[in-house]
């Protein structure tokens, strides 16, 4: 049986918009008590982008259902979306490179 090591490199690019009036110090303190020890909006942006790229999911257990390109998901009831977060998708999966190497 032949084996191949495949290295997949992809580039996803997002603009993460966070409402600092909602995600203020009080909000972050409550977030830290339950989820992650984040102190800066930049940390939240990184986490959200990484989660979106890895899992492609719309719902985040620690944030709710953020807007994507300014719109709520069809399955999210109006008023239940996390309007303080918007993920603007600049690119996903468009630049996917696969390197293949036969191994023993």
């Amino acid at each position: 049986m032949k084996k191949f090591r495949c290295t997949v490199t992809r580039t996803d690019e997002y603009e993460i918009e966070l409402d600092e009036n909602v995600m203020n110090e009080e909000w972050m303190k409550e977030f830290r008590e339950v989820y992650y020890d984040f102190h800066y909006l930049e940390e939240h942006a990184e986490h959200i982008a990484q989660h979106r790229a890895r899992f492609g999911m719309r719902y985040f257990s620690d944030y709710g259902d953020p807007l994507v390109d300014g719109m709520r998901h069809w399955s999210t009831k109006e008023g239940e979306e996390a309007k303080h977060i918007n993920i603007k998708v600049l690119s996903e999966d468009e630049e996917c490179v696969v390197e293949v190497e036969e191994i023993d």
Side-chain angles (χ1 to χ4, degrees):
M1 185 176 298
K2 290 190 178 245
K3 290 185 190 179
F4 299 91
R5 175 173 290 127
C6 300
T7 303
V8 179
T9 305
R10 67 183 250 184
T11 301
D12 293 348
E13 192 172 357
Y14 308 104
E15 282 182 12
I16 306 296
E17 299 171 331
L18 306 173
D19 186 344
E20 68 276 10
N21 294 314
V22 173
M23 298 173 78
N24 56 28
E25 186 51 45
E26 181 181 334
W27 182 92
M28 285 204 212
K29 183 180 180 208
E30 290 176 10
F31 184 91
R32 283 191 297 270
E33 289 174 2
V34 178
Y35 298 107
Y36 303 101
D37 192 30
F38 295 165
H39 292 266
Y40 304 101
L41 289 176
E42 183 178 345
E43 294 170 297
H44 290 279
E46 178 182 352
H47 180 69
I48 291 166
Q50 187 178 102
H51 192 279
R52 172 71 186 208
R54 284 183 174 191
F55 307 113
M57 298 167 53
R58 296 198 51 99
Y59 182 80
F60 297 70
S61 62
D62 38 2
Y63 295 101
D65 194 359
L67 301 175
V68 176
D69 295 327
M71 304 191 61
R72 67 180 168 83
H73 190 261
W74 63 268
S75 66
T76 304
K77 294 178 183 171
E78 191 165 343
E80 292 184 3
E81 67 273 22
K83 291 182 181 179
H84 59 285
I85 301 171
N86 183 46
I87 302 170
K88 184 175 180 185
V89 178
L90 302 177
S91 68
E92 285 183 318
D93 288 330
E94 293 176 13
E95 299 177 32
C96 192
V97 177
V98 179
E99 296 176 26
V100 179
E101 173 188 351
E102 187 172 350
I103 56 178
D104 297 331

